[in-house]
Amino acid sequence: IKQKIEQQINQIQDLNDLQLLRSSALGKKSELQGLMIHLKDLPNDEKPMVGKLINETKQALELIFDERKGVLEEKALNEKLEKEQVDVTLPGLKLVTGSTHLLTQVQEDIEQFFIGLGYEIKDGPEVESDHYNFEMLNLEKDHPARAMQDSFYIDVNRLLRTHTSPVQARTMLESEGKNIKIICPGKVYRRDDDDQTHSHQFMQIEGLVIGESVSFADLKGTLLAVIRHFFGSERTIRLRPSYFPFTEPSVEVDVFSEDGRFIEVLGAGMVHPNVLKMGGYDPQKVQGFAFGIGIERLAILKYAVDDIRQFYTNDVRFLNQFKGGL
Ligand code: FA5
């Protein structure tokens, strides 16, 4: 019996098969166990000897099973190691990662600048009411200046906001007469014809400061500081008088481009007394300044981008140039 089983053991190549053989060779229904049962039929003087022989055979087989198990386990481990071997000299796969869009980088840079000056960041709805987008900013229904910002209306009273300035009105009402120092970045929409510097959808960063003795000099200093921060002190810039119904006086800032012309980057001014009043502030007691910066225009001027549409066409060859951050 021992020889027969030993032969079978040595032929087995698989750990599962070995386990099966072990139960059939040594288990309850095995030949050896059958002999044990028949022990009682033997003459008394033969019983101890035969019993001993059966037990010794069992023990010897256990050992052989264990040994074979060890051999097979080692073989399995080696095969596994062989299969999982890593060739560190193979060329790697190139991982293509995304990155922050240039416009977001510019937005975050300007945000950080204003956070450093103690401004809070606000948010406002892109679908806005006519009331906030125009009326609260001193542009009644038939005001001719509404034509300055041709709009996408959704119904009679709602439109895609044409600028981030409605957030001024919302913040004033929320603040209930307290001092204000906020910026609000976001998307805006206009029925402008797309060209190199105009898009029907673009981004602005609104700013609003209200408090006692806020002056035009503060506005000028703030605008100069943010423009110098972004473009450096070498860049030629121009402050030019302008007109907005919600500020008086009003100005615009132009930055000199690489191709030799001034491009307008922002509108600003001292908050109009009517706007302060509608927002719940007394123009006799407090003053305010506000500005609206075009984010695309900043990026165009700093990186000599030749066409605003480059920002929206998602050509990775364009986007990859700005992967490393500002
Ligand atoms: C306004 O939108 C005013 N709300 C700005 C303002 C805020 C004035 C607070 C006073 C106080 P304007 O239409 O000029 O103004 O737009 C502001 C800036 O947005 C422009 O200087 C320009 O940088 C950018 N901009 C305007 N139209 C477009 C366009 N179609 N495509 C890309 N950028 C634009």
Side-chain angles (χ1 to χ4, degrees):
I1 294 178
K2 187 181 160 219
Q3 265 180 8
K4 185 179 76 185
I5 297 177
E6 201 177 341
Q7 240 175 25
Q8 287 173 345
I9 292 175
N10 286 330
Q11 276 164 13
I12 279 187
Q13 300 295 334
D14 178 277
L15 280 164
N16 280 337
D17 292 348
L18 189 72
Q19 186 53 39
L20 287 175
L21 181 64
R22 190 175 200 143
S23 2
S24 73
L26 301 173
K28 277 194 183 125
K29 290 183 180 152
S30 64
E31 217 178 336
L32 280 170
Q33 198 57 30
L35 288 177
M36 274 303 227
I37 289 164
H38 286 113
L39 208 59
K40 64 180 183 332
D41 304 330
L42 289 179
N44 271 348
D45 59 343
E46 287 183 17
K47 274 182 193 165
M49 197 196 64
V50 177
K52 198 173 160 225
L53 194 64
I54 297 174
N55 274 332
E56 278 171 5
T57 310
K58 265 184 158 179
Q59 278 163 10
L61 283 171
E62 293 276 8
L63 274 179
I64 299 171
F65 269 112
D66 286 347
E67 212 174 281
R68 183 74 188 154
K69 193 176 168 210
V71 171
L72 290 181
E73 275 173 353
E74 198 183 324
K75 195 172 134 215
L77 182 66
N78 282 338
E79 275 169 12
K80 198 170 167 212
L81 288 176
E82 183 83 16
K83 241 194 276 167
E84 290 177 3
Q85 208 177 46
V86 177
D87 183 352
V88 290
T89 63
L90 284 175
L93 286 178
K94 198 172 172 208
L95 286 179
V96 184
T97 53
S99 59
T100 314
H101 194 279
L102 176 60
L103 293 179
T104 313
Q105 292 178 33
V106 172
Q107 176 187 331
E108 286 173 355
D109 179 66
I110 302 291
E111 280 176 4
Q112 285 309 315
F113 173 81
F114 280 108
I115 286 171
L117 293 182
Y119 284 67
E120 260 180 70
I121 299 185
K122 281 267 172 191
D123 207 2
E126 284 176 32
V127 175
E128 186 53 282
S129 65
D130 186 277
H131 179 71
Y132 281 114
N133 195 80
F134 290 127
E135 282 169 51
M136 288 290 284
L137 295 168
N138 208 23
L139 281 135
E140 304 109 60
K141 282 262 182 293
D142 300 317
H143 199 294
R146 282 193 179 209
M148 285 163 73
Q149 300 183 1
D150 213 352
S151 326
F152 290 115
Y153 272 88
I154 288 171
D155 54 36
V156 193
N157 289 314
R158 286 183 310 156
L159 70 159
L160 297 178
R161 66 178 174 192
T162 55
H163 50 176
T164 42
S165 298
V167 177
Q168 287 187 35
R170 288 178 173 274
T171 309
M172 282 188 228
L173 291 178
E174 263 173 36
S175 305
E176 298 176 329
K178 291 195 207 73
N179 287 354
I180 296 177
K181 205 169 165 188
I182 58 115
I183 55 164
C184 166
K187 292 198 190 87
V188 302
Y189 305 82
R190 284 187 203 175
R191 284 181 52 189
D192 278 350
D193 288 332
D194 290 358
D195 62 26
Q196 278 182 301
T197 53
H198 290 83
S199 167
H200 58 281
Q201 181 221 296
F202 58 101
M203 294 179 78
Q204 289 187 337
I205 296 184
E206 191 76 12
L208 175 68
V209 174
I210 294 184
E212 275 174 41
S213 69
V214 172
S215 70
F216 187 81
D218 296 327
L219 170 62
K220 201 175 159 189
T222 306
L223 295 180
L224 194 65
V226 66
I227 295 292
R228 288 282 181 239
H229 158 78
F230 192 74
F231 292 104
S233 55
E234 299 302 308
R235 201 72 181 238
T236 307
I237 55 175
R238 178 169 78 180
L239 190 73
R240 176 165 58 71
S242 184
Y243 169 76
F244 297 101
F246 33 95
T247 47
E248 179 60 34
S250 304
V251 292
E252 281 177 331
V253 171
D254 303 329
V255 174
F256 204 58
S257 77
E258 279 202 350
D259 53 11
R261 58 195 170 118
F262 277 108
I263 295 181
E264 175 201 320
V265 293
L266 66 86
M270 299 306 291
V271 181
H272 195 287
N274 289 351
V275 175
L276 284 173
K277 265 187 239 160
M278 283 187 274
Y281 286 79
D282 181 352
Q284 305 298 327
K285 293 196 180 129
V286 294
Q287 299 80 42
F289 68 72
F291 53 84
I293 308 174
I295 297 185
E296 282 81 353
R297 296 278 177 88
L298 292 186
I300 284 176
L301 281 155
K302 183 156 173 175
Y303 300 102
V305 175
D306 57 5
D307 197 314
I308 195 168
R309 287 163 285 206
Q310 297 262 38
F311 294 123
Y312 315 114
T313 42
N314 285 337
D315 183 336
V316 285
R317 288 168 302 181
F318 171 75
L319 297 174
N320 278 343
Q321 298 176 74
F322 309 103
K323 227 173 163 174
L326 294 182

